[in-house]
C-alpha cells in the first residue's frame, strides 16, 4: 500500500470530476485514520509486539463516486474496498481506464461484502482479494469464474483476472463472531459469516482450488459486543487456522469505530469508509 504524499492534489482535478478542495479533504481524512492506526500499533496490551508488521488500510468507497476514488488515487492511495459488485465493477473500470491513459498502475480492489455466487464471474475481473468467503459454494464459484477468466485471457479473448499478478485470488474466510445460534452466511445477513466450527473445513475447500489461496480470516464485531472481546476471539480463530495453513496470516478486522481494538488484537488490515469518505451521499 502506498501512503499519500504531500497534498497529492492533481492539477487536472477539475477535469476528473473532483475539486482540489474535495481531494484535500479526503487526503486529510485518510492521513488522520493512518495516524490512528500507527498509534494503535504501539499498543502492546493485546497481541501486538514490536515485531508485528504494519497494518494496511483499505479505503472503502461504497456509495461514493469514482471521482472520489480517483482523487485518493492521485494522492497515492492504492488499496480500495467495495461491497456491492454493480458499483464496484463500474468504479474499477473507470479507474482502470484512467490509469491506462496515464500509464500508471491501477489500484488494488478488495471485495469485502455479501457476494452471491452468480456475481463471482464479475468480481474476479477486478478484485485482487475477496474478504467475505463464507460458504463452500462461493469458494467453488470463485474458482470456476477465475479459471474461466484465465482461459479467456490465455486465448486472447479477455483481460487477465486482476489477481493473476499475485498468482491467484486471495480469499479470506468470513467468520461470525456472534453466538452460534445467530450465525449465518454473509449472503443472508449483514454481519454474517461461517461459524467457528466450519472455519477449517471452508479454508481447506478454498485451498483445494488451484487458483485460490486462503489468506486468512475476516470478521465484523457484533453490534452489541465489546470489540476487544470479539477481536480477541477472532485472533484465537486465526491462530487455529494458521496451525493448519501457516501462510494464512491475514486478519481483516476493524472499521471506523473500532479499529484500535482490532489492531490491538492482531488485525493486519482495517477497512475504513466513513472516517475517510465522510457522510454517505443521499440516495
Amino acid at each position: 500500500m502506498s501512503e499519500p504524499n504531500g497534498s497529492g492534489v492533481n492539477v487536472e482535478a477539475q477535469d476528473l470530476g473532483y475539486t482540489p478542495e474535495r481531494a484535500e479533504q479526503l487526503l486529510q481524512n485518510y492521513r488522520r485514520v493512518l495516524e490512528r492506526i500507527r498509534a494503535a500499533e504501539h499498543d502492546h496490551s493485546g497481541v501486538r509486539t514490536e515485531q508485528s508488521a504494519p497494518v494496511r488500510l483499505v479505503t472503502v468507497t461504497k456509495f461514493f463516486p469514482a471521482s472520489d476514488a480517483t482523487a485518493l488515487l492521485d494522492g497515492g492511495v492504492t488499496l480500495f474496498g467495495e461491497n456491492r459488485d454493480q458499483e464496484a465493477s463500474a468504479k474499477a473500470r473507470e479507474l482502470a481506464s484512467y490509469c491506462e491513459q496515464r500509464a500508471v498502475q491501477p489500484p488494488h480492489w478488495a471485495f469485502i461484502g455479501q457476494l452471491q455466487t452468480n456475481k463471482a464471474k464479475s468480481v474476479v475481473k477486478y478484485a485482487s482479494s475477496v474478504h467475505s468467503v463464507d460458504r463452500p459454494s462461493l469458494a467453488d464459484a470463485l474458482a470456476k469464474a477465475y479459471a474461466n477468466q484465465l482461459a479467456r485471457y490465455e486465448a486472447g479473448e479477455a483481460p487477465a483476472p486482476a489477481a493473476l499478478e499475485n498468482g491467484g485470488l486471495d480469499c479470506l474466510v468470513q467468520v461470525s463472531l456472534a453466538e452460534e445460534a445467530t450465525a449465518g452466511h454473509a449472503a443472508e445477513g449483514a454481519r454474517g459469516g461461517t461459524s467457528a466450527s466450519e472455519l477449517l473445513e471452508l479454508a481447506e475447500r478454498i485451498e483445494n482450488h488451484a487458483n485460490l489461496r486462503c489468506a486468512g480470516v475476516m470478521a465484523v464485531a457484533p453490534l452489541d459486543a465489546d470489540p476487544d472481546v470479539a477481536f480477541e476471539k477472532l485472533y484465537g480463530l486465526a491462530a487455529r487456522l494458521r496451525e493448519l495453513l501457516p501462510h494464512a496470516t491475514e486478519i481483516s478486522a476493524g472499521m471506523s469505530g473500532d479499529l484500535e481494538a482490532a489492531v490491538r488484537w492482531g488485525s493486519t488490515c482495517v477497512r475504513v469508509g466513513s472516517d475517510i469518505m465522510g457522510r454517505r451521499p443521499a440516495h
Side-chain angles (χ1 to χ4, degrees), residues 181-193:
T182 58
H185 297 313
E188 300 166 355
R191 297 202 167 193

Side-chain angles (χ1 to χ4, degrees), residues 166-185:
N166 300 328
L169 183 66
D170 279 344
C171 295
L172 278 65
V173 178
Q174 182 174 359
V175 183
S176 172
L177 299 180
E179 295 300 321
E180 290 293 310
T182 58
H185 297 313

Side-chain angles (χ1 to χ4, degrees), residues 14-242:
Q14 291 172 319
D15 296 331
L16 300 171
Y18 65 82
T19 65
E21 292 78 16
R22 175 59 173 162
E24 185 59 30
Q25 176 190 45
L26 289 168
L27 289 166
Q28 285 179 357
N29 292 345
Y30 184 93
R31 293 187 204 103
R32 278 194 288 266
V33 172
L34 269 183
E35 288 171 1
R36 288 175 59 192
I37 293 170
R38 298 298 171 245
E41 289 173 346
H42 294 293
D43 179 353
H44 298 156
S45 63
V47 295
R48 285 193 64 84
T49 68
E50 292 288 352
Q51 288 71 45
S52 297
V55 176
R56 292 176 297 120
L57 171 57
V58 176
T59 300
V60 182
T61 53
K62 65 178 181 180
F63 302 125
F64 288 87
S67 59
D68 279 354
T70 306
L72 286 161
L73 179 67
D74 284 345
V77 179
T78 60
L79 181 56
F80 296 95
E82 286 282 338
N83 69 350
R84 300 190 304 177
D85 172 64
Q86 184 174 1
E87 179 180 353
S89 58
K91 203 172 291 182
R93 285 195 301 271
E94 189 166 339
L95 265 69
S97 176
Y98 166 74
C99 291
E100 184 177 3
Q101 291 170 11
R102 287 155 181 79
V104 297
Q105 283 292 108
H108 293 280
W109 294 93
F111 192 85
I112 63 175
Q114 303 172 17
L115 182 59
Q116 297 176 334
T117 55
N118 63 359
K119 298 292 187 181
K121 61 184 178 182
S122 174
V123 169
V124 299
K125 294 177 182 178
Y126 60 84
S128 298
S129 60
V130 177
H131 289 213
S132 50
V133 180
D134 64 335
R135 58 202 189 278
S137 61
L138 180 54
D140 296 346
L142 286 167
K144 180 179 179 180
Y146 188 100
N148 289 341
Q149 187 71 20
L150 180 60
R152 294 184 63 211
Y153 165 68
E154 291 174 341
E157 300 171 354
L164 180 61
E165 62 181 19
N166 300 328
L169 183 66
D170 279 344
C171 295
L172 278 65
V173 178
Q174 182 174 359
V175 183
S176 172
L177 299 180
E179 295 300 321
E180 290 293 310
T182 58
H185 297 313
E188 300 166 355
R191 297 202 167 193
T194 193
S195 66
S197 61
E198 296 173 325
L199 168 61
L200 299 186
E201 182 178 353
L202 181 52
E204 288 187 311
R205 181 70 161 258
I206 292 168
E207 283 286 308
N208 284 338
H209 290 295
N211 294 316
L212 304 186
R213 178 171 52 245
C214 182
V217 295
M218 183 273 261
V220 179
L223 290 170
D224 58 349
D226 179 338
D228 277 281
V229 173
F231 294 136
E232 183 179 9
K233 176 181 179 181
L234 180 63
Y235 181 79
L237 294 173
R240 188 188 307 173
L241 175 59
R242 289 195 302 275

